[in-house]
Amino acid sequence: MPAMLRFEGDDKDMTLEELGEFLEAARRAGVPKTNPVRAELSTSGKIKEVVVALAEDDD
C-alpha cells in the first residue's frame, strides 16, 4: 500500500481553510498532480476526510 497524505476536519466536517491546508501539504510533499483525491463524505454530503497517495497512483 503506498504512503498516503490524509487530512480530517477538526470538527465533524472540513472547512475551506482545512482543505487549502491539505492542498498546500500535498504540493510540498511533491504529490503528482495527476493523482486522484479520495474523500469521505458525511450523510449530508460534507467532506469529512481527504486522502491522496504520495507516489504515483495507478488505481
Side-chain angles (χ1 to χ4, degrees), residues 30-38 52-53 55-59:
V31 173
K33 293 179 181 180
T34 57
N35 278 8
V37 175
R38 292 170 176 83
V52 69
E56 193 168 326
D57 187 354
D58 294 331
D59 266 351

Side-chain angles (χ1 to χ4, degrees), residues 4-35:
M4 307 291 254
L5 180 63
R6 178 183 316 266
F7 269 57
E8 298 176 352
D10 286 336
D11 291 328
K12 182 178 179 184
D13 305 313
M14 290 187 77
T15 63
L16 184 59
E17 182 176 353
E18 290 167 334
L19 186 57
E21 291 169 3
F22 168 76
L23 292 172
E24 289 176 20
R27 289 180 180 131
R28 282 193 307 269
V31 173
K33 293 179 181 180
T34 57
N35 278 8

Side-chain angles (χ1 to χ4, degrees), residues 28-50:
R28 282 193 307 269
V31 173
K33 293 179 181 180
T34 57
N35 278 8
V37 175
R38 292 170 176 83
E40 182 179 336
L41 304 179
S42 67
T43 55
S44 63
K46 296 175 185 159
I47 298 173
K48 293 170 48 174
E49 174 183 279
V50 287

